[in-house]
Amino acid sequence: MLAHADRVFAAPQPAPRSDVEIYQMWEIFKAVNARVKAGGQVVNLLVGEPTLPPPQAAIAAAQLALSSGRQLGYTEALGMPALREGIATLYRRRHGLAIPASRIALTIGTSSGFMLAFLACFSAGDTVAVVEPSYPAYRGTLKALDLIPHRVGTDAATRFQVTPQMIEALPSHVKGIVVASPANPTGTMLSAAELQAVYEACRRRGLWLIVDELYHGVTYDRPADTVLAAGDEAIVINGFSKYWGMTGWRLGWLVLPERLVPRIEALHGSLQISAPTLSQLAGIAALDSDAELQARVLAYQRNRDALLTALPRFGITRFAPPDGAFYLYADIGDFSDDSVAFCKRMLEETGVVTAPGVDFDTRDGHRFIRFSFCMDASVVDEAIRRLEPWFKSLNRR
Ligand SMILES: Cc1ncc(COP(=O)(O)O)c(C=O)c1O
């Protein structure tokens, strides 16, 4: 027998679960960077990141905390009591709901909220339904945790949202479902009655229901309803990235059924200790900034309306008008069957950049693109000015 030291072992390989998809959006991003480097102009409708700074009160609170010289050490794993209370008050103010602060856990953006919720609800190898089109990191996070995403395809007929019938039709081995309202990339929302029906369908089927409500606050013709009004069993994911424009502050929260709270507390303590303390202090102050932030939502609404009027002039007629978020998901199937090539060509020929649908929908995304409209009105107007003649010059398939 060979002595241990003489044996040749194969080189260690990356784990299969780390083989998560790389977004095609990064391919487009590279093309954007190359264009900028070559001195070209880019009219950017690609990213979903508000361009304005956080609310003034949040910046002032962070400045005060820094200049006080205080330690800014870890917080409790579930987060600062004052911020958890503040978020409970937000639910009272927005929805008239009495959510106890004890059910709220602060996380490192919603991204960590997803990871913690998936870990608390599912075991390795479980299958979890994901409504598509949707934010691609749901699939990536599930895959990284050795969970299997099950595609629930939707289209314009249900405004790209799930129905109770789709939940009833899920295979019996599915353990939960991820839903978003308002959703990325479509901006469409589920009404209170629809959320109630989805909640009840999940209860009947014994499924965990995880609802991404990150775009609450960024809504147009009516405010967003929360699934929390339907009952205490759903898991809500939310955070400061979008309405409050605090993407890089990495602050989110979970609202949990009571029995998950100790699990999340233990998981967060082990995996991440706590959400960033400076951001939590800023978050407390940010909660009282509605007047400042509502003006931004009106600016997004103006951009949405400009796009809604322009798209039919482009020859794009199949889309669901967004109720919220700052995205419009458009069917460009009359022009192309390859959304990545289409976005690259659009960038090359007009300087306008949008996101290809393939990142959001693993089956039908090849014939959709996403317009983001959280940027200044002048950017959206310039994009429309360039795109109108361009679309008119294209051959229809
Ligand atoms: C629907 C949705 N959920 C979650 C996220 C992640 O956001 P964060 O981790 O900054 O809270 C995004 C980011 O774009 C998103 O669009």
Side-chain angles (χ1 to χ4, degrees), residues 28-183:
I28 309 289
F29 215 73
K30 280 187 215 157
V32 167
N33 287 341
R35 187 180 170 94
V36 170
K37 209 169 161 196
Q41 259 191 339
V42 173
V43 183
N44 196 332
L45 305 192
L46 179 67
V47 291
E49 200 171 12
T51 46
L52 291 172
Q56 284 169 18
I59 296 174
Q63 279 170 334
L64 188 69
L66 286 174
S67 60
S68 72
R70 60 182 275 198
Q71 189 211 1
L72 297 175
Y74 303 133
T75 69
E76 292 172 24
L78 293 173
M80 283 182 180
L83 182 51
R84 296 169 70 205
E85 287 293 346
I87 293 167
T89 305
L90 181 76
Y91 282 102
R92 213 166 299 130
R93 190 166 76 224
R94 279 186 176 170
H95 305 284
L97 288 175
I99 305 293
S102 59
R103 287 179 51 203
I104 297 167
L106 301 176
T107 56
I108 306 178
T110 57
S111 304
S112 114
F114 276 103
M115 183 182 73
L116 294 168
F118 293 163
L119 283 168
C121 296
F122 307 116
S123 300
D126 280 354
T127 298
V128 181
V130 177
V131 178
E132 291 190 16
S134 58
Y135 178 55
Y138 304 150
R139 296 195 309 273
T141 309
L142 288 168
K143 171 99 202 294
L145 298 177
D146 266 333
L147 299 166
I148 302 163
H150 172 89
R151 178 181 184 275
V152 178
T154 62
D155 58 25
T158 63
R159 306 182 64 259
F160 301 100
Q161 286 288 356
V162 74
T163 63
Q165 293 73 25
M166 292 177 196
I167 293 170
E168 305 290 354
L170 286 172
S172 58
H173 64 281
V174 170
K175 296 285 190 339
I177 183 163
V178 184
V179 170
S181 177

Side-chain angles (χ1 to χ4, degrees), residues 19 38 57 88 135 163 167 179 186 194-195 205 216 222 265 277 346 348 368 370 375 381 397:
D19 186 18
Y135 178 55
T163 63
I167 293 170
V179 170
T186 60
E194 287 165 333
L195 284 165
R205 279 291 310 268
H216 272 216
R222 60 188 163 103
E265 184 173 18
T277 304
M346 181 193 284
E348 226 167 85
F368 285 86
R370 185 194 74 176
M375 32 302 280
D381 289 348
R397 293 171 63 227

Side-chain angles (χ1 to χ4, degrees), residues 94-323:
R94 279 186 176 170
H95 305 284
L97 288 175
I99 305 293
S102 59
R103 287 179 51 203
I104 297 167
L106 301 176
T107 56
I108 306 178
T110 57
S111 304
S112 114
F114 276 103
M115 183 182 73
L116 294 168
F118 293 163
L119 283 168
C121 296
F122 307 116
S123 300
D126 280 354
T127 298
V128 181
V130 177
V131 178
E132 291 190 16
S134 58
Y135 178 55
Y138 304 150
R139 296 195 309 273
T141 309
L142 288 168
K143 171 99 202 294
L145 298 177
D146 266 333
L147 299 166
I148 302 163
H150 172 89
R151 178 181 184 275
V152 178
T154 62
D155 58 25
T158 63
R159 306 182 64 259
F160 301 100
Q161 286 288 356
V162 74
T163 63
Q165 293 73 25
M166 292 177 196
I167 293 170
E168 305 290 354
L170 286 172
S172 58
H173 64 281
V174 170
K175 296 285 190 339
I177 183 163
V178 184
V179 170
S181 177
N184 175 8
T186 60
T188 62
M189 295 198 295
L190 290 161
S191 67
E194 287 165 333
L195 284 165
Q196 180 84 44
V198 164
Y199 179 87
E200 278 161 17
C202 287
R203 295 279 284 160
R204 275 196 300 278
R205 279 291 310 268
L207 298 174
W208 284 112
L209 170 60
I210 298 163
V211 185
D212 183 344
E213 299 188 348
L214 178 58
Y215 289 91
H216 272 216
V218 186
T219 56
Y220 306 118
D221 308 313
R222 60 188 163 103
D225 291 293
T226 174
V227 73
L228 295 170
D232 297 341
E233 277 297 303
I235 296 159
V236 160
I237 312 257
N238 204 331
F240 285 84
S241 288
K242 307 296 171 162
Y243 176 63
W244 286 274
M246 295 173 66
T247 44
W249 295 67
R250 310 311 301 131
L251 187 59
W253 73 82
L254 292 164
V255 186
L256 300 158
E258 288 288 0
R259 68 188 185 288
L260 282 185
V261 174
R263 298 298 178 102
I264 294 290
E265 184 173 18
L267 282 166
H268 205 208
S270 261
L271 296 176
Q272 293 165 324
I273 302 186
S274 58
T277 304
L278 188 63
S279 303
Q280 292 190 53
L281 289 166
I284 296 169
L287 286 172
D288 288 322
S289 306
D290 280 341
E292 190 181 346
L293 296 173
Q294 278 307 318
R296 298 182 187 187
V297 176
L298 287 177
Y300 302 147
Q301 181 160 4
R302 181 244 160 246
N303 290 344
R304 176 198 69 157
D305 293 345
L307 277 172
L308 283 178
T309 330
L311 290 196
R313 295 202 307 268
F314 297 177
I316 297 179
T317 48
R318 291 186 305 276
F319 53 85
D323 307 306

